[in-house]
Amino acid sequence: MLDSLLKAGADATVVEAPPYIAGQWGGEGPAATRTGPYLRRVVSRTTLATGEEVSRALAYARSSARAVAGLAPAARADILDRASRSATAHRDELARLLALELGKPVKDGRGEIDRVADTFAVCASEARHIGGENLPVAGWARGIGNTALTYRAPAGVALAITPFNAPANLLAHKLGASFAAGNTTLVKAPPQAPAATAAIVALLLEAGLPPQAVQLLHGGAEIGALLCAADEVAVISFTGSAKSGRAVARAAGAKRLVLELGGNAATIVCEDADIAQAAKECARTGYSNSGQSCISVQRVYVHRSRYDAFLDAFTAAVDTLKVGDPLDPATDVGSMVDDDAAERVVSWSAEAAASGARLLRGGTRDGATAAPTIVAGPPESASVVVHEVFGALVAVLPYDDFDAVIEACNASRYGLQAGLFTRDMARIVTAWRELQTGALIAGGSSNYRLDHVPFGGVKDSGFGRETPRSMIDDYTVVKTLVLRGLSVWGDASTVDEGTGA
């Protein structure tokens, strides 16, 4: 299956991306096609899951969970290591699928596949370290004479719902960590990336992943809701908008959840910053993947004394970005996921300009390709400041006082990640402590992530942490064994005085 997916992508024919249910590729539901947002033609085709297929997948997952859990951690790790090497070997073909389906420049797609390889390798390492504890029960009087042990057992059936903006790497996080933990996983693919998702699943199967360990279903919110509500599912990992995250939580009920939701990330540029470096970094990371990242640079707060200099340097850096064909290796900014997404950039920038902001660049689109847009000095009530743009737009605002800019950043209902350019260590520690975000990137913009470092937010940006080690904690349950009357510790309450020297 992997070869056929990659060959079709290379031949520029329509890529057939079927579901994978109960160990078999193929489905009986209605056909669905994906039109490439840049190419403006059908690039991939799949079939949507039916209610009967959902039921069959759930039954198969329930019956498969024990077999997957019985696979030794070393065996799981070996499979994930092979998948890591395979991702590297197929880097260019997988990046091309991302460009076809999403309009993501191939240079960004190659970077995403590099991260897929890293993520599988990290998951493999973490699988080798899953263990437990010998608890210090004899430290309290009631525990004397006993032993208590724990180990991390697989949760059973996991559900991974992945987004369109990084469908390969975020699937690697969810599915890789779930398998490392010993679970079987149901994958609900994003409708915008059926072929890229199917390719990652096929790559894992080719690397030796047992058929019982994964199933792939295609469909929209209604299929996601059925899967979330299913009693068979023990834990859900979802990445998407805050609105969709709330819907997942409602449908799931009393289940374990990891929700990585939206953001409108802020980056602060202090008066002591290297303005040229900050401007270049914000330009590069504000428009990569057309700004379609939950930690993309959206709001840049610059000290008023450096505001004009930053705007000049930032605008010059943005002007160097090449916009166009995502299949061109030189392209920096491809298209957005669809025309509606690009129109959001256009309409919100126009709204800000009508409220007194200066529109320095962009504010236009060609189909789904939004020109890199710079909005200078929008009011704090503007949509580009308050809401998540998730597009090729950066708003630049002046500030006067460091404490006040922290408050401005925290006024957002989101709190995923922030950036800070300063040489002042005291300010770094203050921002780390006071910013209501899951992480702070000091010396860089908000848009930076290491896949082996905890990642996640607060407030409407969700909860839980998406990195293999943290996700394995969420994908496993702690099981305790108490051995009454059998102790590896000393079991005497006092020392017998008659035994002294």
Side-chain angles (χ1 to χ4, degrees):
M1 178 55 67
L2 179 61
D3 286 345
S4 66
L5 287 162
L6 298 181
K7 184 177 185 299
D11 291 346
T13 57
V14 175
V15 183
E16 300 292 341
Y20 184 72
I21 300 172
Q24 298 292 325
W25 289 101
E28 301 174 354
T33 58
R34 171 62 181 167
T35 297
Y38 184 84
L39 296 177
R40 318 298 279 186
R41 67 169 176 81
V42 174
V43 295
S44 59
R45 179 168 46 232
T46 188
T47 60
L48 305 179
T50 65
E52 186 278 330
E53 287 174 330
V54 170
S55 297
R56 183 154 55 94
L58 289 167
Y60 185 78
R62 182 178 60 247
S63 65
S64 299
R66 186 174 180 181
V68 180
L71 196 63
R76 300 176 212 153
D78 286 343
I79 292 167
L80 290 164
D81 275 331
R82 287 196 294 272
S84 174
R85 294 190 293 271
S86 180
T88 298
H90 296 296
R91 176 180 185 246
D92 288 347
E93 302 102 308
L94 291 167
R96 183 177 175 86
L97 283 183
L98 294 170
L100 292 172
E101 291 193 310
L102 301 169
K104 175 179 286 193
V106 289
K107 67 166 61 174
D108 288 344
R110 288 167 180 161
E112 181 173 348
I113 302 307
D114 288 340
R115 292 177 62 187
V116 168
D118 286 348
T119 298
F120 282 147
V122 173
C123 289
S125 176
E126 295 297 340
R128 300 181 193 279
H129 291 91
I130 295 174
E133 293 183 273
N134 183 353
L135 301 176
V137 292
W140 283 263
R142 293 190 64 239
I144 294 174
N146 302 300
T147 298
L149 307 170
T150 67
Y151 82 100
R152 287 199 164 271
V157 179
L159 170 61
I161 303 178
T162 53
F164 72 81
N165 61 318
N169 189 43
L170 292 180
L171 177 57
H173 273 275
K174 298 175 191 297
L175 179 51
S178 179
F179 178 63
N183 296 306
T184 184
T185 308
L186 296 158
V187 176
K188 210 289 282 183
Q192 303 90 341
T197 305
I200 297 300
V201 171
L203 182 149
L204 278 162
L205 290 167
E206 189 177 85
L209 190 79
Q212 298 92 334
V214 65
Q215 297 182 84
L216 169 64
L217 296 96
H218 300 282
E222 69 286 350
I223 296 300
L226 285 174
L227 293 169
C228 288
D231 291 338
E232 291 87 349
V233 173
V235 57
I236 300 169
S237 175
F238 170 83
T239 302
S241 70
K243 179 181 178 181
S244 297
R246 288 191 288 270
V248 166
R250 286 193 299 269
K255 289 187 177 73
R256 305 174 76 178
L257 298 174
V258 180
L259 301 179
E260 195 269 280
L261 307 178
N264 62 347
T267 293
I268 301 170
V269 181
C270 296
E271 63 268 34
D272 66 336
D274 182 329
I275 294 298
Q277 177 204 355
K280 183 178 179 180
E281 185 70 11
C282 287
R284 184 181 66 83
T285 57
Y287 303 98
S288 59
N289 199 21
S290 293
Q292 295 171 124
S293 168
C294 48
I295 53 174
S296 183
V297 178
Q298 179 174 327
R299 297 178 290 157
V300 181
Y301 291 93
V302 185
H303 191 271
R304 194 175 300 275
S305 67
R306 311 301 302 278
Y307 182 67
D308 290 338
F310 178 87
L311 279 177
D312 289 343
F314 181 64
T315 302
V318 171
D319 286 342
T320 67
L321 298 175
K322 181 176 179 180
V323 182
D325 185 354
L327 292 171
D328 182 348
T331 295
D332 300 298
V333 182
S335 61
M336 296 183 64
V337 70
D338 54 37
D339 289 12
D340 288 345
E343 180 59 28
R344 182 173 62 247
V345 171
V346 173
S347 62
W348 285 13
S349 61
E351 172 203 278
S355 300
R358 289 183 292 154
L359 189 56
L360 300 183
R361 292 291 186 277
T364 62
R365 69 180 177 95
D366 180 6
T369 302
T373 299
I374 304 173
V375 178
E380 292 285 353
S381 59
S383 293
V384 298
V385 177
V386 175
H387 303 300
E388 181 178 32
V389 176
F390 212 69
L393 183 153
V394 175
V396 186
L397 304 93
Y399 80 90
D400 296 296
D401 177 75
F402 191 70
D403 289 338
V405 77
I406 295 290
E407 288 185 19
C409 293
N410 288 343
S412 172
R413 64 191 180 95
Y414 297 108
L416 190 53
Q417 200 154 279
L420 176 63
F421 289 93
T422 184
R423 296 182 177 91
D424 187 334
M425 194 65 199
R427 281 180 175 167
I428 292 173
V429 172
T430 297
W432 187 25
R433 182 183 66 240
E434 299 296 335
L435 283 171
Q436 296 168 3
T437 58
L440 171 66
I441 308 301
S445 79
S446 61
N447 194 0
Y448 181 74
R449 180 178 177 182
L450 295 172
D451 291 292
H452 56 289
V453 170
F455 178 81
V458 298
K459 299 191 289 189
D460 278 4
S461 289
F463 50 82
R465 292 295 178 264
E466 281 212 345
T467 194
R469 177 176 294 181
S470 299
M471 295 183 79
I472 285 172
D473 286 348
D474 289 308
Y475 283 143
T476 54
V477 293
V478 175
K479 298 189 72 171
T480 304
L481 172 66
V482 177
L483 301 173
R484 293 200 62 184
L486 184 62
S487 179
V488 299
W489 312 100
D491 57 7
S493 297
T494 62
V495 175
D496 186 345
E497 294 181 1
T499 63

